[in-house]
Amino acid sequence: MADVDGLVTAARHRDARAVARIISLIEDADPLLPEVMGALTRGNVRNPYVVGITGSPGVGKSTTTSALIAHWRAQDATVAVLAVDPSSPFTGGALLGDRVRMQAHATDTGVFIRSMASRGHLGGLAAATPQAIRVLESSGFDVVLVETVGVGQAEVDIAAMADTTVVLLAPGMGDGVQAAKAGLLEVADILAVNKADRDGADDAVRELRHMVSTASERAPGDWRPPVVRSVAVAEGGAAELVEAIEKHRAWLASSGAASQRRLSRAAHEIRALATAMLTSRLGLQLDNPRLRLLAAQVVTGEIDAYTAARTVAGSA
Ligand SMILES: Nc1nc2c(ncn2[C@@H]2O[C@H](COP(=O)(O)OP(=O)(O)O)[C@@H](O)[C@H]2O)c(=O)[nH]1
Ligand SMILES: [Mg+2]
């Protein structure tokens, strides 16, 4: 690509096509990526507010995202949305649904919406997501919203990447016990019981509040994750959630946690990239013939997995 400079300059001015193009480079693990990312990010420090919205499929993440976009647009903040869905990277089905839900914002130039798959990317979405967030940061959006499925089982550790992590639950969807099992209580800065227009919302809220209060010791001054109700489909139905988010944002700024989270985000970003590079260098892709040969030897009991791992890691 002769025109890395042109692409990067356009992206730095929030040009939607340029931003989308660079995210495609990430998805495809394009060889030009290091050069493009370097040119885009070096000397270009911006500090957008990054919000992660996570929860099971169908819980209302995209609907909530749409409500949050409306909130920030009303304050004239520009918003980028990254929808990461490891369960359907190829079909585009989820993307279509999300597009419909976010259609209200489709013609607004202050809003950028993009779904992400990891087609060729070495480290999969774990490595691609932090880079995509970095692109959206560097492009000058005021707020970056990342919608992702699950936490515990998903390959994308959104809590490590977001300033504020919102965990969405819905009445009757397994509620607190499931959330606790999936490790959601620990990563949540805010818990929201969405679809609170349905039966069982009060029970879910009560149960979650109890679980949060007994989950872990918190020092004075620590953030206590609130449990809020939300009806994302209704006009103004996400007001309680919006208020909780703004409170957390203010707490991040006043406590100094915001700069801690930026550091932690960069550390995770570097680690994900380095892990992908090492995986590649060591030939540890799962279809690598050498790795498969060692796997066969482990299966037949010829060698043990530690020995096999030391062999590929070069320390045997
Ligand atoms: N009754 C009700 N339905 C909702 C609410 N929020 C979302 N939905 C519906 O739940 C379905 C899934 O929502 P969606 O935002 O796509 O969920 P996602 O898969 O988590 O992104 C859609 O049909 C929404 O209209 C709510 O607060 N109340
Ligand atoms: Mg969705």
Side-chain angles (χ1 to χ4, degrees), residues 95-140:
L95 172 59
L96 193 64
D98 286 348
R99 277 231 187 95
V100 171
R101 263 179 280 298
M102 295 183 196
Q103 211 158 36
H105 309 288
T107 54
D108 181 347
T109 54
V111 178
F112 174 88
I113 298 173
R114 169 69 189 237
S115 278
M116 192 169 65
S118 75
R119 290 192 285 270
H121 205 281
L122 275 174
L125 288 167
T129 304
Q131 285 188 80
I133 293 173
R134 182 68 72 188
V135 171
L136 299 172
E137 278 199 42
S138 306
S139 305

Side-chain angles (χ1 to χ4, degrees), residues 240-262:
E240 222 185 303
L241 173 60
V242 165
E243 194 190 323
I245 290 174
E246 292 295 1
K247 257 192 201 152
H248 188 248
R249 187 181 191 176
W251 175 82
L252 287 168
S254 65
S255 67
S259 49
Q260 288 301 322
R261 293 201 180 198
R262 266 196 290 281

Side-chain angles (χ1 to χ4, degrees), residues 261-284:
R261 293 201 180 198
R262 266 196 290 281
L263 275 177
S264 153
R265 184 146 76 230
H268 276 85
E269 183 184 6
I270 297 166
R271 186 176 67 178
L273 281 176
T275 304
M277 286 175 192
L278 283 172
T279 299
S280 164
R281 189 187 311 153
L282 297 172
L284 284 176

Side-chain angles (χ1 to χ4, degrees), residues 279-298 303 307-316:
T279 299
S280 164
R281 189 187 311 153
L282 297 172
L284 284 176
Q285 291 91 341
L286 288 175
D287 59 354
N288 180 283
R290 182 159 166 252
L291 183 59
R292 297 201 75 92
L293 185 65
L294 287 165
Q297 292 175 325
V298 169
I303 60 171
T307 305
R310 284 201 200 96
T311 306
V312 286
S315 57

